[in-house]
Amino acid sequence: MTPTESYFINLPSEIKNLFIPVFGNAENFYKTVYLIARNEHITSLDKVANWEQRIDVIHYYQDKLKHFLNSLSLDGDNLMADVASDYFEDYVHYKDDVNFGMTNEDFLNIMRAIQEKL
């Protein structure tokens, strides 16, 4: 477990409760940000059709998540960067099989909730 994961797990319960309506819990927030960072990296590497538009969508969600953290008086810029750093640490150590127990459907449901509720 990374220090950033521990940070989210150890947030005070009154703050952790604010993650529930969109993410289910603060741990799922971390997982979502990690997967978004991974998607951004893979999209920028692969440069598939419409990759610039995909990057714009990814940045849109990253900005929404930063604002969400800032609204909780947490440092959105640094926390988002820390999670991305965790992803890149795994990437350079060939840990591309990171499985959080989150299905694609779970991830997509969270993305829909971000769009609707944040």
Side-chain angles (χ1 to χ4, degrees), residues 44-110:
S44 65
L45 286 177
D46 292 346
K47 294 195 174 27
V48 296
N50 300 320
W51 73 273
E52 293 104 340
Q53 292 170 329
R54 292 177 186 196
I55 292 292
D56 288 343
V57 170
I58 290 168
H59 289 166
Y60 167 80
Y61 281 98
Q62 288 171 327
D63 286 343
K64 287 186 83 66
L65 296 174
K66 284 180 199 174
H67 291 339
F68 172 71
L69 290 172
N70 290 336
S71 76
L72 302 178
S73 298
L74 302 174
D75 186 349
D77 287 325
N78 282 329
L79 287 170
M80 295 289 289
D82 289 346
V83 177
S85 178
D86 290 349
Y87 161 72
F88 282 109
E89 184 72 20
D90 288 345
Y91 177 78
V92 298
H93 289 99
Y94 301 102
K95 294 181 183 177
D96 58 355
D97 62 342
V98 174
N99 182 354
F100 292 121
M102 181 183 283
T103 66
N104 286 338
E105 186 170 334
D106 294 336
F107 178 74
L108 291 174
N109 286 334
I110 289 173

